[in-house]
Amino acid sequence: MNFDDIIYVLCLLSCVGAGNKTHLITFAIMFAYLAFFRLAHVFGFANPPGPTNMIQMVLTLKVSGVAFEKASSWKKLKQREQELSGTKTAEKELIEISDYDVELQSVDIFEIFQYSFNYIGVLTGPYYRYRTYRDYFETPFKNYAPCVETTVENLKFAAIYSVIYLTVDYMWPLSYALSPEFHERSFIYRFWYIWPAFLIFRMRIYTGLCLSECVCNMAGFGAYPDESDATNGEGPRKQYLHLKRDADKRSYNFNTIVNVRVKEVETCSTLREGMKHWNICVQYWLAVNIYRQFPSKKYRTGATLLCSAYWHGFRPGHYFCLLGAACYVTVEDIWQKLVGKEATGVKRLIIDCMFWFAKSCIGYNYLGTAFMLVSFSNIWSFYSSIYHVGYIGWFLMLTSGLALTKGKTAISIKHKQTETSR
């Protein structure tokens, strides 16, 4: 048994254990090992190949994800037990306990191992819950889902995205942005270059995410009846096991394993909304296990994006992009409250268009270019060529937004005091 095997067995054992802290132990071990895995050269080991890194990323989410699921179910069962025994005051309604919550407590190390290394999604995702994996083998839904039709439809979009990717990459390669000739072009051209640069990245990711969906579609993985109200990453939100009896009479969808909603990513007006439609199953994992679990509401967005950057890797570009997104979302929220909260009609449309342009220009293209440039020297060179206008613009919008918010609050307080004095 080598070092990798020992670490993984420790993670599985902590995941199998019961208690309200086991998920945190599993999370710590998996993410600590992810750091060691990527810094293997520091300890004298050979760096693992790229595909192995992808597998390790997916395993990190799966193992820690099932540990969080199990801990959540364990807490629900304990609370329900206390309510029924009278040791704790019951809520208005008793906590709902599903069969899955009970079954999850008896999952053993071999079942978690099989779930983790299930051939569907082990290399590129999408992330899916243990329940989705179990349902694939225990329900007949895959036999009646429109597997071929859905696969062909996704392949059409993957082909379109790949053609756009190859065309734009040929005409405006990212490498040109780092060449001496690029710095001789006008400022307008250099700044405009962030648009095709990040378009290349988006089309490449869209293609990969669509193809990973195709693997699931063709196998019937993640197919559920429409009546189950399945949602991305989570799976069914309504009772669905009774639908097995007449499975052949149902209509099906693959919402559970949908990775990206391209139309929404491109047309939504804010970065916060756009992130919800990008790499959706991973976003679900981050939302459930980091965002909702983080104790401070004020810093949970930053903590979630920091975890996302850590999961992606240790390259500076990941942090420039994802932590920059956390800063951008802060400004976006401030201005939404200032000008967009009560706007309607034409005014709402104009404001949405302005937010969309700002999101596309700074939230996507400016920050996304850093993700692709990877190294600090490349990022600094490119940002310097356009005089760091993105960060300057963000700072000006932040300071002006805070000043206007403070002024608006002061006026509101003064108005209330005047009304009270009357």
Side-chain angles (χ1 to χ4, degrees):
M1 179 177 287
N2 60 28
F3 183 75
D4 286 4
D5 296 330
I6 294 172
I7 291 294
Y8 194 69
V9 168
L10 286 174
C11 291
L12 292 181
L13 289 173
S14 65
C15 184
V16 169
N20 61 354
K21 299 296 183 183
T22 54
H23 60 299
L24 299 178
I25 296 172
T26 304
F27 175 86
I29 294 175
M30 288 303 295
F31 274 80
Y33 179 67
L34 189 60
F36 170 81
F37 182 84
R38 287 168 172 162
L39 300 174
H41 61 280
V42 176
F43 300 93
F45 298 98
N47 280 325
T52 310
N53 178 59
M54 291 295 298
I55 293 173
Q56 189 59 43
M57 290 173 70
V58 173
L59 288 179
T60 300
L61 297 185
K62 280 187 174 181
V63 177
S64 53
V66 75
F68 273 98
E69 279 192 73
K70 191 170 183 178
S72 177
S73 297
W74 183 83
K75 289 177 183 178
K76 288 166 64 177
L77 290 168
K78 284 294 181 183
Q79 190 171 348
R80 178 69 172 272
E81 183 182 324
Q82 291 172 354
E83 290 176 350
L84 292 176
S85 64
T87 58
K88 183 177 181 179
T89 304
E91 304 288 340
K92 293 182 180 179
E93 295 182 5
L94 286 176
I95 294 175
E96 183 179 352
I97 303 296
S98 66
D99 293 338
Y100 178 68
D101 290 320
V102 178
E103 294 168 4
L104 201 54
Q105 303 309 306
S106 60
V107 174
D108 60 36
I109 189 172
F110 300 105
E111 291 171 310
I112 296 176
F113 181 87
Q114 291 167 352
Y115 157 68
S116 301
F117 286 98
N118 181 37
Y119 73 97
I120 298 177
V122 73
L123 181 61
T124 59
Y127 167 78
Y128 47 81
R129 298 172 65 190
Y130 176 78
R131 182 178 67 173
T132 304
Y133 160 79
R134 186 200 64 179
D135 286 343
Y136 179 68
F137 296 100
E138 297 182 359
T139 65
F141 301 146
K142 59 182 175 294
N143 300 323
Y144 305 102
C147 301
V148 176
E149 296 87 340
T150 308
T151 303
V152 170
E153 188 68 18
N154 273 333
L155 283 174
K156 290 178 182 177
F157 285 107
I160 293 171
Y161 302 144
S162 61
V163 169
I164 296 174
Y165 162 71
L166 292 171
T167 302
V168 179
D169 186 50
Y170 175 78
M171 297 178 67
W172 298 286
L174 183 63
S175 58
Y176 180 66
L178 301 174
S179 66
E181 294 82 4
F182 179 78
H183 294 271
E184 296 174 2
R185 305 295 293 262
S186 68
F187 167 77
I188 298 297
Y189 181 86
R190 295 197 303 269
F191 182 73
W192 167 84
Y193 212 81
I194 62 175
W195 292 80
F198 193 58
L199 179 62
I200 293 169
F201 177 78
R202 295 205 306 279
M203 292 303 123
R204 178 163 60 87
I205 296 300
Y206 291 162
T207 302
L209 294 178
C210 280
L211 291 176
S212 66
E213 283 184 36
C214 287
V215 175
C216 298
N217 298 151
M218 199 63 200
F221 192 92
Y224 285 102
D226 292 339
E227 295 91 331
S228 68
D229 189 25
T231 187
N232 315 123
E234 181 177 357
R237 292 184 290 187
K238 295 181 179 179
Q239 295 294 328
Y240 64 98
L241 292 179
H242 66 282
L243 301 175
K244 294 190 294 184
R245 291 192 295 268
D246 51 355
D248 59 322
K249 299 178 182 178
R250 307 289 173 181
S251 57
Y252 294 86
N253 63 68
F254 287 90
N255 291 343
T256 300
I257 52 86
V258 169
N259 253 332
V260 63
R261 289 188 285 264
V262 176
K263 181 181 177 181
E264 285 76 6
V265 171
E266 297 295 333
T267 60
C268 67
S269 59
T270 64
L271 179 61
R272 182 180 290 278
E273 184 181 354
M275 289 190 294
K276 295 177 182 178
H277 303 294
W278 174 278
N279 206 356
I280 304 171
C281 294
V282 172
Q283 295 296 337
Y284 165 78
W285 186 95
L286 289 167
V288 171
N289 300 319
I290 305 299
Y291 186 84
R292 296 177 189 173
Q293 303 273 350
F294 199 74
S296 172
K297 292 184 178 181
K298 184 177 181 180
Y299 299 109
R300 56 174 43 167
T301 297
T304 303
L305 289 170
L306 178 61
C307 180
S308 178
Y310 180 99
W311 179 74
H312 278 91
F314 300 142
R315 295 175 175 176
H318 300 152
Y319 296 87
F320 269 88
C321 177
L322 295 172
L323 295 185
C327 297
Y328 179 84
V329 166
T330 301
V331 175
E332 201 173 58
D333 291 344
I334 291 172
W335 280 92
Q336 277 283 5
K337 292 177 181 178
L338 281 172
V339 301
K341 193 174 181 180
E342 300 175 356
T344 57
V346 176
K347 183 180 178 181
R348 174 80 260 179
L349 178 62
I350 294 173
I351 290 173
D352 284 344
C353 288
M354 293 173 64
F355 271 95
W356 175 87
F357 181 79
K359 173 215 70 175
S360 300
C361 187
I362 305 300
Y364 281 0
N365 299 320
Y366 186 82
L367 295 175
T369 302
F371 196 97
M372 296 182 295
L373 291 172
V374 179
S375 69
F376 179 81
S377 59
N378 287 344
I379 295 168
W380 188 259
S381 174
F382 180 79
Y383 279 176
S384 296
S385 74
I386 53 176
Y387 310 116
H388 302 278
V389 292
Y391 291 129
I392 293 172
W394 172 83
F395 179 75
L396 292 175
M397 292 299 291
L398 175 65
T399 52
S400 59
L402 290 174
L404 289 172
T405 300
K406 185 177 180 180
K408 190 175 181 180
T409 303
I411 292 172
S412 178
I413 294 174
K414 186 176 181 180
H415 179 71
K416 288 180 180 179
Q417 290 175 343
T418 303
E419 290 292 327
T420 303
S421 62
R422 292 178 182 177

